[in-house]
């Protein structure tokens, strides 16, 4: 990385799940007119959805059955390498989010001291050490109940990641056509909408409520 390119550093999800670091040049960090319009449309969609949203919650077990019966997802084996890798990463992410006190000296999220290359490298080293510390926490102290499901179609794979203890639903997809990817987003929105929210979520605008709004508003 050229030092001139490190004029802006964005940290996504630092205190909430897996962390992504984006190093952005000064000029490219400004929003384009298209991006501003997209953001405004997204905000308007959220407001519209919020007005019509009704309480209709389902449990994670019900969501799993719904994904199986309506969309043809099947659970992958807990013995598979894919499951084991996802389990390790997600469990560590949940420790960082919900119980960082287990990490001892690594419990506090590190601070980026500067935007030069040495500062960024040091910051990334601390991030990696913190991640490793979370992965090393015994399952007896912190565990998750993970289900990974996938559906395979011609030239397209869609995956659901569901964690029952904390009510987490994630998804990913790979495919060669825009049509297939649009279907994945449509299916994921439908599954998340089926998961739904309680009246308490609506009244208190909880995390579950906010995540449902964001998922349904995303195009």
């Amino acid at each position: 990385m050229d030092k001139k390119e490190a004029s802006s550093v964005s940290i996504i999800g630092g205190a909430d799940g897996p962390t992504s670091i984006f190093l952005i040049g000064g000029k490219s960090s400004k929003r384009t007119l298209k991006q501003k319009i997209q953001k405004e449309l997204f905000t308007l969609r959220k407001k519209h959805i919020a007005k019509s949203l009704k309480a209709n919650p389902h449990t994670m077990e019900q969501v799993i059955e719904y994904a199986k019966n309506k969309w043809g997802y099947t659970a992958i084996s807990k013995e598979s390498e894919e499951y084991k890798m996802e389990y390790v990463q997600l469990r560590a992410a949940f420790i960082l989010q919900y119980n960082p006190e287990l990490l001892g000296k690594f419990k506090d999220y590190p601070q980026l001291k500067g935007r030069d290359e040495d500062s960024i490298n040091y910051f990334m080293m601390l991030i990696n050490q913190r991640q490793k510390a979370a992965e090393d926490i015994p399952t007896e102290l912190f565990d998750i109940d993970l289900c990974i499901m996938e559906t395979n179609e011609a030239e397209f794979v869609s995956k659901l990641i569901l964690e029952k203890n904390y009510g987490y639903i994630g998804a990913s997809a790979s495919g060669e056509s825009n049509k297939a990817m649009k279907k994945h987003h449509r299916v994921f929105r439908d599954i998340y909408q089926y998961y739904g929210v309680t009246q308490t979520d609506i009244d208190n605008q909880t995390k579950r409520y906010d995540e449902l709004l964001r998922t349904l508003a995303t195009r």
Side-chain angles (χ1 to χ4, degrees), residues 40-53:
E40 183 63 26
L41 290 174
F42 176 76
T43 301
L44 291 174
R45 285 196 298 269
K46 281 184 63 177
K47 291 179 179 179
H48 176 73
I49 293 168
K51 290 180 180 179
S52 60
L53 192 63

Side-chain angles (χ1 to χ4, degrees), residues 66-85:
Y66 182 79
K68 286 180 181 178
N69 297 330
K70 182 172 182 179
W71 297 110
Y73 283 88
T74 57
I76 71 171
S77 171
K78 292 185 177 182
E79 300 303 316
S80 68
E81 290 302 316
E82 179 184 6
Y83 181 94
K84 291 177 181 178
M85 181 177 66

